[in-house]
Amino acid sequence: MEPKRLTGPEAGALKYDILTALTLIGLNGTTTQQMTVLRLTALVTARYNWRANELSVGQRDMARMWAVNERTVKREIKRLLDSQILTCKRQGVRGRVGAYVLNLAAIAKLSADQWDTIGPDFAERMAGYFPQRVENVVKVDFAAASLPSSEPEPKETRSGTWRAVQQALRSKDEAIHNNWYSRLSLKVCKDRKAEILAPSRFVANYIQTHLFDELHHALEQEFGILDEIRITV
């Protein structure tokens, strides 16, 4: 599902959010990736045709803007195509400039784990623009974003423990568990009330919106009926 139209009276905020997501990809990448995304951001800001949804700029003009040679331009475009941040809309041929399109779904997917660093309002807007694409983030490996547990996983767990809750969620869907539920911790569970800690507001909001029912069920399987379950940061 793609976001709403990129033109019109409300499109300005969406464009800023897309550019913000793009810079997040660069800032959390290698030095080379940072330079590539910086160059693309300058190009998009100056020359992207939002109405036609395409970037059609000759390599000579790109080289002049980026203060590099045309060989570097070709290398940078290849990196952006390989990363799927750009897709080719029209191949350049002699006498005709090629056209590229920002792959908004890929930009959302590659930046999603960092949305909350901008702020909860930005994370909520992006999740609203790309509800189906955020679902796809479940398949992205977030292992580098959280420290692995130093405790070995037991083969068997007794009921009435947070570890048993986690094991039940893992057995339901290992990918979702590894990328979302495993990032939670149990603060307290007593008097039929549970408080769960999330590492960021984005994770808390996402689980509350998309994955809460499974979490609720797993908690009640281990701790009994709960009148209140809160996910806090």
Side-chain angles (χ1 to χ4, degrees), residues 7 9 11 104 134 140 169 198 200 210 212:
T7 58
L104 304 186
V134 174
V140 177
L169 292 168
S200 69
H210 300 281
F212 184 77

Side-chain angles (χ1 to χ4, degrees), residues 178-191:
N178 290 344
N179 293 300
W180 297 100
Y181 295 126
S182 66
R183 306 170 78 183
L184 304 178
S185 61
L186 178 65
K187 182 177 181 180
V188 64
C189 186
K190 65 178 182 179
D191 300 328

Side-chain angles (χ1 to χ4, degrees), residues 32-189:
T32 299
Q33 290 167 335
Q34 289 174 3
M35 179 57 71
T36 298
V37 173
L38 174 62
R39 287 168 172 163
L40 176 62
T41 302
L43 189 60
V44 168
T45 303
R47 301 291 298 274
Y48 200 82
N49 185 334
W50 296 101
R51 186 172 297 279
N53 191 25
E54 68 176 31
L55 178 66
S56 185
V57 181
Q59 292 183 358
R60 184 176 301 175
D61 289 338
M62 289 188 198
R64 186 182 304 112
M65 179 184 295
W66 292 348
V68 298
N69 57 39
E70 291 185 41
R71 180 177 297 178
T72 299
V73 169
K74 293 178 181 178
R75 185 169 60 244
E76 293 287 52
I77 293 299
K78 184 178 186 305
R79 286 198 187 103
L80 292 164
L81 291 171
D82 288 346
S83 69
Q84 298 184 349
I85 291 174
L86 284 184
T87 57
C88 185
K89 180 178 181 179
R90 184 177 65 247
Q91 288 284 355
V93 295
R94 186 178 297 276
R96 183 182 182 185
V97 175
Y100 303 93
V101 178
L102 283 174
N103 186 344
L104 304 186
I107 292 171
K109 183 176 180 179
L110 291 170
S111 64
D113 198 36
Q114 302 298 329
W115 290 350
D116 200 56
T117 62
I118 301 298
D121 54 339
F122 175 77
E124 289 173 9
R125 287 198 306 275
M126 290 297 288
Y129 297 148
F130 301 95
Q132 298 303 317
R133 298 305 177 183
V134 174
E135 290 286 349
N136 289 342
V137 175
V138 171
K139 299 185 181 300
V140 177
D141 183 12
F142 286 133
S146 57
L147 294 175
S149 172
S150 59
E151 300 180 28
E153 289 290 341
K155 293 183 179 179
E156 297 182 0
T157 57
R158 62 183 181 83
S159 62
T161 67
W162 176 245
R163 189 175 291 275
V165 172
Q166 289 279 10
Q167 182 164 309
L169 292 168
R170 183 187 298 108
S171 65
K172 184 75 175 179
D173 191 311
E174 187 170 359
I176 291 177
H177 170 270
N178 290 344
N179 293 300
W180 297 100
Y181 295 126
S182 66
R183 306 170 78 183
L184 304 178
S185 61
L186 178 65
K187 182 177 181 180
V188 64
C189 186

Side-chain angles (χ1 to χ4, degrees), residues 184 196-198 201 204 207-208 212 215 229-233:
L184 304 178
I196 309 298
L197 294 179
R201 178 58 55 191
I207 291 176
Q208 186 75 45
F212 184 77
L215 176 62
I229 299 173
R230 297 175 57 205
I231 303 177
T232 59
V233 178

